[in-house]
Amino acid sequence: MAKNILKVPNVAGSLVRKVKFPEKFKGTIIEKWADYWKNLFIDYRQMLQDLRTDIQDDPVKAMKYTASIMALIGLYKNNPNEIDFRHELKRISNEVVMVSSECLNEKAADHLRYLDTCYNQGVIHYRSLGIASIMYTSELNDSCDLYKAHCSYVQPSYFSFPSRIVDVGLMGKWWNLYKKTTNYDVNL
């Protein structure tokens, strides 16, 4: 099978050379369009041949690049979204309600109350970064039409953004929510 894959660029290249364009289309936009695709095919064929020789020359480097690309694809596929966050928040909140107040970890309960308050006020937001996601808060609701919401002089600075991040989602899990609510039924 590997021999067949190695023969594909040569077979396809010979097909491109064998195909002749009819005389009535010479000098038209159709010929230019065909030349464009022919040159594009030749470029990609040459790129694949160069890639094959690079892999044969340094297989360790090729394996590192392949592993890195596969890891990034895996992170992208398992990137949690806001629905996952809300689902996990509701699940944990339902479990916390069943625990008595003597056993309840107050830090976990306070964090859950804070997140519920942020959702009720509409100041919590979601942003996907491709391989990771963040949940962050703002000072005002999106539908708020106060002067403070429009004035550029009272907007929060970029340096205050890290302090407004509530949670970071990576590998299918919201890590801050997990960390703060792991032992919700252990009163410390």
Side-chain angles (χ1 to χ4, degrees), residues 42-52 54:
I42 291 168
D43 289 344
Y44 275 105
R45 184 185 68 203
Q46 185 62 40
M47 186 265 313
L48 289 174
Q49 288 172 348
D50 292 343
L51 180 65
R52 184 178 65 203
D54 289 345

Side-chain angles (χ1 to χ4, degrees), residues 9-175:
N10 297 330
V11 172
S14 65
L15 277 173
V16 169
R17 280 184 242 111
K18 288 180 184 177
V19 174
K20 299 291 184 204
F21 219 75
E23 203 56 45
K24 67 179 183 177
F25 292 122
K26 297 238 182 210
T28 63
I29 195 167
I30 295 173
E31 183 185 24
K32 291 178 184 177
W33 181 73
D35 287 340
Y36 167 77
W37 286 105
K38 177 182 169 185
N39 291 332
L40 186 70
F41 176 77
I42 291 168
D43 289 344
Y44 275 105
R45 184 185 68 203
Q46 185 62 40
M47 186 265 313
L48 289 174
Q49 288 172 348
D50 292 343
L51 180 65
R52 184 178 65 203
T53 57
D54 289 345
I55 290 172
Q56 290 171 346
D57 291 346
D58 194 2
V60 175
K61 182 179 176 183
M63 185 59 78
K64 287 178 186 177
Y65 278 123
T66 304
S68 300
I69 290 171
M70 295 304 289
L72 288 175
I73 289 171
L75 289 173
Y76 176 75
K77 293 272 186 188
N78 294 321
N79 187 16
N81 56 20
E82 185 177 9
I83 295 170
D84 296 332
F85 182 80
R86 292 189 79 161
H87 175 72
E88 189 67 18
L89 180 63
K90 288 177 185 177
R91 186 188 66 77
I92 292 172
S93 295
N94 288 339
E95 290 178 8
V96 167
V97 169
M98 303 300 281
V99 177
S100 70
S101 59
E102 293 89 27
C103 295
L104 186 64
N105 185 347
E106 282 300 316
K107 290 181 181 179
D110 288 342
H111 183 67
L112 292 174
R113 273 189 233 110
Y114 172 71
L115 292 175
D116 284 337
T117 303
C118 289
Y119 266 114
N120 289 339
Q121 293 175 354
V123 295
I124 194 162
H125 305 284
Y126 165 80
R127 193 68 66 213
S128 175
L129 305 174
I131 60 172
S133 298
I134 58 171
M135 295 294 290
Y136 65 96
T137 59
S138 62
E139 291 183 14
L140 300 172
N141 191 341
D142 288 338
S143 63
C144 184
D145 201 25
L146 294 174
Y147 174 74
K148 186 177 181 180
H150 299 291
C151 181
S152 62
Y153 294 109
V154 293
Q155 294 295 321
S157 68
Y158 291 112
F159 299 113
S160 70
F161 185 74
S163 65
R164 294 186 290 133
I165 293 177
V166 175
D167 210 337
V168 176
L170 186 70
M171 297 185 306
K173 186 181 269 190
W174 291 97
W175 289 97

